[in-house]
Structures are given as C-alpha cells and as structure tokens.
Amino acid sequence: MPDRRKRATIREVAQATGLSPAAVSYALRGIQTSEETQERVRAAAEELGYEAHPIARALASGRTGMVGLLCGSLEDYWQQSLAVGIGRALLARDRYALIVDAVGDPQRELVLARQLRDQRVDGLIVQPLDPSAPLWAELAETLPVVSIGDALAGGNSQGEVVFDNRWGVTLALEHLRMLGHRRIAVFTPTRASTPDRPADVHVNAEARRLDLEVEVVVAQQSLAEATDAARRVLEGPGRPSAVFCFSDVIAYGVYAATRALGLSVPGDVAVCGYDNHPMSALLTPPLTTVDWNIGGIVETAVRLVVDVIEERSPARRVVCEPALRVRESTAPATA
Amino acid sequence: MPDRRKRATIREVAQATGLSPAAVSYALRGIQTSEETQERVRAAAEELGYEAHPIARALASGRTGMVGLLCGSLEDYWQQSLAVGIGRALLARDRYALIVDAVGDPQRELVLARQLRDQRVDGLIVQPLDPSAPLWAELAETLPVVSIGDALAGGNSQGEVVFDNRWGVTLALEHLRMLGHRRIAVFTPTRASTPDRPADVHVNAEARRLDLEVEVVVAQQSLAEATDAARRVLEGPGRPSAVFCFSDVIAYGVYAATRALGLSVPGDVAVCGYDNHPMSALLTPPLTTVDWNIGGIVETAVRLVVDVIEERSPARRVVCEPALRVRESTAPATA
DNA sequence: GCCAATGGCTGAACCGGTTCACTGAAGCGG
DNA sequence: CCGCTTCAGTGAACCGGTTCAGCCATTGGC
C-alpha cells in the first residue's frame, strides 16, 4: 500500500498565522473575520498547500457535498444521458454525484435508496421504478428528494420534474392522424408501474378523441424482443399503417422487423419513436420521434435539489414539455 | 430544511451491551472479540437500528470506500458503458464509484484528478486523455491508480488494462484484405494523444505488411462532422472500396454520407467499425465491427484497483483482446 | 458618561467512529 | 508452580474539521 503523505491541517495554518483554528475556519469561509485576517489566512494556506479535508468537514458540518442519483436502469440510453448530464451539472456546482443503478429491480431500488441515505448524501435525485413505495415519504422527511418522471408517493418530496408525456403522446398521434393514418400500433415498454407513461389510459383517450383505431403492445425494451414483438404485429392480420413506439430503441426493433418482412418505412408502415436518441437521425430512414429536452430536465432537477440543500425555496413542481422532431420515417398513408 | 433525525451511535450500542465503544467497533467487524460477544453486539445493534456512520468511519480509518472514476469524455458511447459497468461492479463489492467527466479537456482532467484525490477516494480508475502528464506518477505514489486504455507516464501505477488495439486493427484490415479490398480509407477520431489508438503508426505498418493502400483521415467523433469528412473522401477522386472507422459512431457518419451520395453499402463501399455499439447490429446493413469485450475490461479494472486497496497484490498489466464481429456491411470488392 | 450593541477572535466541545497501548485472566509448556 | 504467550476487552487519543458560548475592545445612541 502506498503511504499517504500527510497534508497540512487547519491547526498548522492556525499556528502559522498565530490564530486559533476556529478563526482560520471562519476566515477561509469569509465570515466572522476582518478582511485583513482573511487575506493573511489565505496566504498562509496557500503557502502550506492547505486544503480542507472533505471528510472531516462532512463529519463536523453534516453535509457531504454529494447528491445521490438513483437510476432505475442505466441500460436505457436516456437514463444514461440524464446521469451524465446530472453528474456534470452537479460538478459545475462543486458537488459530486453518487450514481447508483437499480438495474431494473424495484426491490434493489429501495435498498440502494437506503444505502445512499446512510452514506449521508445531502440530497437525492431519483428516477423511480416504483414511485408508490412508502420509503420515499420516509426519506423525504430527512433529506431533500427530487423525482424525475413520476411523482413520488406521500407528496412531500422537495421537488418533482415531471414529463408531460400526455402531450408527447398527443403530438405523435396527431402527427400520424394528420398524415391520414387510422390504424396504429402502439408499442410501450414494460415498467413496474407507469403512471406517467400512460400506455393504456392516455393513449386510449387520445385515440378516441382523434377517432383512431389503436392496438397497444407491451414490449421489452431490448432490441431483440422488440423486434420479435413488432414482427408478430406486422405479420398478423389487419396490419396497421403506422406504429408509434414509446422508445426509440423499440422503433429500431420495428425497423429490423420491417426489414425482415420486406416492408418499407415509411411506404408500407410509418414509424414514430420517443426519446430522440442521437442515433435516430442516422437511421435509414431518419426516425421521426418525440424529444424531451434532456438538458432542461437535468438542469431543473439539479437546481431543485441544490436549492433545497442550500435552503433557498424552489418551485416544487416543474413540467417539461416534449417536442416532435419530424423526419423521414413518417409519410402520408397510402391505402 | 428537513430535520435530520439522529441515529444510534456506537456509544449507545456500547451502553446497551455494557461494553466499551472499542469492543463494539471490533465486534461488528468480527475481530478481537469472542463469538458470543459478537452475537450480543449484533443483536443490540439490530435492536437499536445502528449502522456505522460512513463519514466518521472514513475520517477515523482513512478509507472512504469510494473509488474515483475519471473519464475522458462521457459523450462516447463506450465510455458510458464502461462507467455504468464499473459503477455496478464496484457496488457489487460494497464500494461506490465517484464518476467525473473531463468532457474532453486534458487540463480539466488533471484538475479533476486532483479533486478526486482531495476527496480521499481509496483508489482511482482513469481512462486518460493525456497519459503523459507527470501528475499520474505523483498520484500513484499515494493512491492506487489503474489506467484503462493507455499506460500512464511514470510506470508506477498499480495496474493497467490495455486494449490490444493493434490486434483490432490487424483483424479489421486483414478481413478487408481477404475480401479483396486494396484501397482503404481509415477514419480515426481526434484525441489529445493516442499511443494506443495508433492511427498512423500501426495502421501504416499493417498496410505495408498487407500490401494495402490506405488513406488516414482524422475526424471528430461526432456524427455531423464524421458525415462531412466521409463525404469529402467518398466524393473525391480515387474513391476507396472500403472504409475502416476507428469508432462505430464514425461509421454511422459514413453510412449517412453514402446515403447522401447515393452509394450502397457494402456494394459500392464496404464499411468496418470499431466498438460494437449495440445499435450497430441494427443498422441497414448491420455493421461489421471490432468488439472489445467491455465486460472483461470493467471486471479487470475493478479487480485490479480493489486488490490494491485491500492489499492483495494483483497482476499489474492485463491486455484485453478484441474480436471481429462480421456482419453485412462488408462484402467482397466488386471492382 | 453609561449601557447596549457589534465585530473579531478564542477555547473547548463535538461529530462518530478507529486504533493503539495496556491490563487482567486464562492457557500452556516445562 | 512459574514465566510466557494469547485472548478479550478497556480507556484514551486521534482523525480534522465546525460551531457555540463567551470574552474583550470598540463604537454608537442618548
């Protein structure tokens, strides 16, 4: 094991300046001390190469400077983007993200949530698999909790960034309807509970409103399984003229299925995705998809949680509006 | 701010069992105490809901249980996969990954490396942008450092997981040669320094050995810029019959360029990538690409760093062999 | 000129564990 | 039965900051 060289402590800086450790502590944070003293202390600290020990500081002050990020499943492209973005946004605010991944298991999610609390993170951002768990309310009592995507049970979390997926669905379905499509298959990924990816409720409501005939198919969000599911639907009787996929990855599966069946996109079947994965613009043909401004979500979530940690009071609930990116995978119905 | 409920301390457990705090500390770690005492302490801890405070433990013991992961740029798909995998592998060993992202800036990389050290991570895994910086040697004196991809300057890091990219290049070029291609364009991403993505040296050596005519093009690893670069090469005189891209994303750019120019893959131009991005299997046509077993790299890097932290001595240098996945984007040369 | 308020700083407790030097008792060989 | 080692456990120092009560010297109001 390498021997960890000792670094200067606050008491050494105190000694060097002839002040008490307390005064040094204050001076370095620019409080309770005269300008002149602060300058002197800063100089001495610089000289000695002093840098406050984050662990000691965390123990004494009760704040670690870390924010937990609990992801439902980091397989998802968009959750990865979210995690990367949140990590950067926190770093820009001099905080660290402690990122953990429940790999799709709701039980594990709760275990990890407790572990993060036990690690004394200052706040928690969670993209919940199971928003209804009572644990969230319990955590929110002692810790700023911000949820992304779904509102948490208990209602006393410190913030929510919700996606207006209803609006996203409406955008996609209206787009397809305007192109003349009436029979539409909707592929939606499986999730433990999905109040805000309202495959059944909202899709059906919109279908009625727009006078569309929809068939909802639940598909694993993996390429292979999405391909199989799409194949079954497109081979079956009464093939839909358009497909709306609640995830770009599922749309890729649909592409693969059309290729296998010798169907063309958008000639035989129009395809609309959801996520605006960067790859989607590069497929043949480029995929029409719903984009949910990940940058905005990231910034909002981080702002909410940091505001609570630093005891400013934030807006508690922010809704992010998605937008439709029309590309070449959707075209007027031919039939 | 929520009031953080106080949790049981080790002294309370000591009180409850009639032992000293020291004895409790030992008992919970199963050392220096009798079986019977350990059982009694565990019961009391359970009863009181006691869980050791990680911050206090870190301060006293000098180990935080965290491993820093310093990524060159988390834009890259494969660096994301690496980060996700390393996060999981560490969690499985009861450690946390502190993931930071230099966003492609070598200066920033060094700043972040120092910050991680100051955060008192127990070890550091780095995928270096600038492997030649003297800082690495300095850090390695006081901290287990494992590098991924490139060996670090100074040579005293505790471990290296190197990719055998030479072998990957050989696999790809031999494959293209066997299909009859002789004029090959090689697209390689820009990086600060790339001893182990030896675009010039090794590609040229292999080209000579295999009697190939290659043109090396440096391209940004973004879709748009790769597309432009590919377009310029494919429009130019003496169009190559095959393209080898040192990143699947660049290959996607090549696909886009061929589409724009009305060329077909693999008919007019064969394309071979590098990364085996999961999307690559789903393109039209599915992309032939070099796969570097990310799972193996992840497991190896984590094992190396944890072994050093826990004072077992590891193999110091591990080479990961890539493999070629032949799909439909490469076909025999027609000319 | 007196009392209160303010500014600048100190000393000591505290955060909650770990670890080290030490002790008493038990075990063991001779 | 004695001296030596081993075992279980204790007490106190320690890790390196923060924070609170308190103190002295000014300053200001009236």
Side-chain angles (χ1 to χ4, degrees):
Chain A
M1 190 188 64
D3 59 326
R4 292 146 189 278
R5 247 196 326 258
K6 277 198 46 95
R7 309 193 41 184
T9 73
I10 202 172
R11 297 179 220 264
E12 300 180 60
V13 179
Q15 191 113 42
T17 52
L19 291 168
S20 68
V24 173
S25 174
Y26 289 131
L28 288 174
R29 283 174 297 159
I31 53 178
Q32 298 237 336
T33 38
S34 68
E35 265 304 331
E36 185 247 323
T37 305
Q38 290 179 23
E39 194 40 60
R40 207 151 48 87
V41 170
R42 266 194 294 271
E46 172 87 15
E47 169 87 16
L48 296 170
Y50 170 78
E51 196 88 31
H53 192 311
I55 309 295
R57 165 173 292 172
L59 181 60
S61 70
R63 4 202 94 253
T64 55
M66 297 193 299
V67 172
L69 174 58
L70 177 46
C71 301
S73 165
L74 278 175
E75 296 302 334
D76 282 7
Y77 157 75
W78 76 269
Q79 290 207 32
Q80 284 189 19
S81 304
L82 222 51
V84 169
I86 287 177
R88 286 186 187 165
L90 284 169
L91 212 51
R93 288 172 154 84
D94 283 317
R95 298 178 167 280
Y96 289 92
L98 212 51
I99 303 174
V100 298
D101 173 9
V103 288
D105 176 358
Q107 290 295 106
R108 199 180 170 73
E109 165 170 82
L110 302 181
V111 172
L112 289 172
R114 266 186 278 261
Q115 284 188 20
L116 285 174
R117 176 198 53 192
D118 294 347
Q119 274 287 318
R120 305 310 200 270
V121 293
D122 292 343
L124 185 60
I125 299 177
V126 52
Q127 195 285 312
L129 288 170
D130 178 7
S132 66
L135 179 63
W136 305 125
E138 182 191 326
L139 288 181
E141 282 175 28
T142 64
L143 188 69
V145 176
V146 167
S147 69
I148 293 181
D150 298 304
L152 297 175
N156 53 356
S157 72
Q158 268 65 33
E160 298 161 11
V161 187
V162 299
F163 314 142
D164 194 348
N165 282 329
R166 289 178 163 68
W167 182 233
V169 167
T170 302
L171 285 173
L173 293 181
E174 282 195 340
H175 171 65
L176 293 174
R177 197 206 136 79
M178 293 229 309
L179 292 172
H181 297 280
R182 292 296 178 272
R183 279 187 55 71
I184 300 176
V186 176
F187 286 77
T188 175
T190 49
R191 275 185 60 206
S193 71
T194 64
D196 257 24
R197 276 210 168 181
D200 12 14
V201 181
H202 190 64
V203 166
N204 286 324
E206 282 297 285
R208 256 194 308 283
R209 188 173 75 79
L210 296 170
D211 193 24
L212 296 172
E213 187 181 339
V214 304
E215 175 185 9
V216 175
V217 181
V218 175
Q220 286 291 341
Q221 202 170 185
S222 90
L223 287 158
E225 308 203 34
T227 304
D228 287 349
R231 195 168 173 142
R232 278 193 299 276
V233 170
L234 296 176
E235 280 183 324
R239 172 156 57 77
S241 69
V243 175
F244 169 46
C245 304
F246 230 139
S247 138
D248 278 4
V249 174
I250 294 181
Y252 303 159
V254 173
Y255 272 45
T258 59
R259 201 163 50 238
L261 295 171
L263 298 172
S264 86
V265 176
D268 297 316
V269 48
V271 181
C272 177
Y274 207 98
D275 281 350
N276 195 22
H277 191 295
M279 219 57 70
S280 300
L282 294 154
L283 298 179
T284 320
L287 180 68
T288 296
T289 189
V290 177
D291 178 7
W292 44 7
N293 182 10
I294 287 194
I297 295 169
V298 162
E299 200 43 51
T300 306
V302 169
R303 187 165 47 72
L304 287 183
V305 77
V306 172
D307 277 355
V308 178
I309 292 172
E310 294 174 359
E311 312 195 14
R312 278 168 261 127
S313 44
R316 289 177 38 90
R317 182 187 168 92
V318 179
V319 177
C320 281
E321 296 287 334
L324 185 69
R325 306 260 174 253
V326 177
R327 291 195 276 248
E328 296 165 35
S329 68
T330 48
T334 48
Chain B
M1 190 188 64
D3 59 324
R4 292 150 190 276
R5 248 198 324 258
K6 278 199 44 98
R7 308 194 39 186
T9 73
I10 202 172
R11 299 182 217 260
E12 302 180 59
V13 178
Q15 191 113 43
T17 51
L19 292 166
S20 67
V24 174
S25 174
Y26 289 131
L28 288 175
R29 283 174 296 160
I31 52 178
Q32 298 239 336
T33 38
S34 67
E35 265 304 330
E36 185 248 324
T37 304
Q38 290 180 22
E39 194 40 59
R40 209 152 47 89
V41 170
R42 266 194 294 271
E46 171 86 14
E47 171 87 15
L48 294 170
Y50 170 79
E51 196 90 30
H53 190 145
I55 310 295
R57 165 173 293 172
L59 180 59
S61 70
R63 4 201 97 251
T64 56
M66 297 192 299
V67 172
L69 173 59
L70 178 45
C71 301
S73 166
L74 279 175
E75 296 301 335
D76 283 7
Y77 157 76
W78 75 269
Q79 290 206 32
Q80 284 189 17
S81 305
L82 221 51
V84 169
I86 288 178
R88 287 186 187 166
L90 284 169
L91 211 51
R93 288 173 153 84
D94 283 316
R95 298 180 167 279
Y96 289 91
L98 211 51
I99 302 174
V100 300
D101 173 11
V103 289
D105 176 359
Q107 291 295 107
R108 198 177 171 73
E109 165 170 81
L110 302 180
V111 171
L112 289 173
R114 266 186 279 260
Q115 284 188 21
L116 285 174
R117 176 198 53 191
D118 293 348
Q119 272 288 319
R120 305 313 202 266
V121 294
D122 292 341
L124 186 61
I125 299 178
V126 51
Q127 194 286 308
L129 288 169
D130 178 7
S132 66
L135 178 64
W136 304 124
E138 184 191 326
L139 288 181
E141 281 174 27
T142 66
L143 187 69
V145 177
V146 167
S147 69
I148 293 181
D150 298 305
L152 298 175
N156 54 357
S157 71
Q158 269 64 34
E160 297 163 10
V161 186
V162 301
F163 312 141
D164 195 349
N165 282 327
R166 289 179 162 69
W167 182 234
V169 167
T170 302
L171 284 174
L173 292 181
E174 283 196 340
H175 171 66
L176 292 174
R177 195 204 138 81
M178 291 228 310
L179 291 172
H181 298 280
R182 292 295 178 274
R183 280 188 52 72
I184 299 176
V186 176
F187 286 78
T188 176
T190 49
R191 277 186 56 203
S193 70
T194 63
D196 257 23
R197 275 208 168 184
D200 11 13
V201 180
H202 190 64
V203 168
N204 286 324
E206 282 297 286
R208 255 193 310 283
R209 188 173 74 80
L210 297 169
D211 193 24
L212 297 172
E213 188 181 339
V214 303
E215 176 185 8
V216 174
V217 181
V218 175
Q220 285 292 340
Q221 203 173 181
S222 89
L223 287 158
E225 307 203 37
T227 304
D228 287 351
R231 196 171 172 137
R232 278 194 299 276
V233 170
L234 297 177
E235 279 182 329
R239 171 158 57 80
S241 68
V243 176
F244 169 46
C245 305
F246 230 137
S247 137
D248 279 3
V249 174
I250 293 181
Y252 303 157
V254 172
Y255 270 44
T258 59
R259 203 165 46 238
L261 295 171
L263 297 171
S264 85
V265 176
D268 297 317
V269 48
V271 180
C272 177
Y274 208 98
D275 280 350
N276 193 24
H277 190 295
M279 218 58 67
S280 299
L282 294 155
L283 298 179
T284 319
L287 179 69
T288 295
T289 188
V290 177
D291 177 7
W292 43 8
N293 183 9
I294 287 195
I297 294 169
V298 162
E299 198 45 49
T300 306
V302 169
R303 187 165 47 72
L304 287 183
V305 78
V306 172
D307 277 355
V308 179
I309 292 172
E310 294 175 359
E311 314 194 13
R312 276 168 263 127
S313 42
R316 290 179 36 92
R317 182 186 167 92
V318 178
V319 177
C320 280
E321 296 286 336
L324 185 68
R325 306 261 173 254
V326 177
R327 291 196 275 248
E328 297 165 32
S329 69
T330 47
T334 49

